[in-house]
């Protein structure tokens, strides 16, 4: 056999890493796979009336709490934005003062000319 054909020969299986070792190295991957399989099985099983009655109040509570959290976040965001923006009265005062300064500067410029 020549060197070219011997280098193309397949490697022995003893050097390959067993699949079980790689799964054991990453337990998060194993957990995610288990959760995915559980969700798939749960979706395939029909819902029972007893299950629906038992879990309906829990779902409503979770939905109500999620809505309350979203509303609280919106309100907090509005308050933060309003705190950063100047009020209308303060803006009016600043514009009036600026306009007054421009008028005074114009009067002073015309008297000097």
């Amino acid at each position: 056999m020549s060197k070219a054909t011997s280098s193309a020969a397949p490697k022995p299986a003893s050097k390959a890493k067993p699949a079980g070792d790689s799964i054991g190295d990453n337990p998060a991957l194993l957990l995610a796979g288990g959760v995915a399989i559980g969700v798939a099985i749960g979706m395939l099983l029909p819902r029972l009336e007893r299950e629906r009655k038992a879990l309906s109040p829990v779902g409503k509570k979770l939905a109500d709490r999620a809505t309350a959290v979203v509303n609280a976040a919106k309100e907090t965001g509005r308050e933060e934005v309003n705190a950063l923006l100047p009020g209308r009265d303060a803006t009016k005062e600043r514009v009036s003062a600026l306009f007054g300064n421009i008028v005074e500067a114009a009067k002073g410029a015309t008297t000097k000319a």
Side-chain angles (χ1 to χ4, degrees):
M1 254 182 160
S2 69
K3 286 186 177 183
T5 57
S6 66
S7 65
K11 304 278 184 197
S14 63
K15 290 187 178 181
K17 191 174 185 181
D21 289 347
S22 63
I23 292 174
D25 291 344
N26 194 351
L29 182 63
L30 184 62
L31 177 67
V35 168
I37 291 171
V39 167
I41 292 171
M43 290 174 62
L44 294 174
L45 294 175
R47 291 185 100 182
L48 302 175
E49 187 63 31
R50 190 178 220 181
E51 177 186 11
R52 197 172 289 128
K53 286 180 181 177
L55 295 179
S56 180
V58 174
K60 287 179 183 178
K61 282 182 183 178
L62 288 174
D64 291 344
R65 287 182 184 171
T67 302
V69 167
V70 168
N71 289 337
K74 283 182 185 178
E75 185 60 33
T76 302
R78 278 191 206 118
E79 290 173 1
E80 289 294 323
V81 168
N82 289 337
L84 293 174
L85 297 175
R88 289 184 180 183
D89 294 335
T91 304
K92 284 181 183 178
E93 290 175 12
R94 289 181 185 167
V95 170
S96 296
L98 177 64
F99 186 69
N101 289 341
I102 291 172
V103 169
E104 291 298 322
K107 284 181 185 177
T110 56
T111 56
K112 288 183 180 178

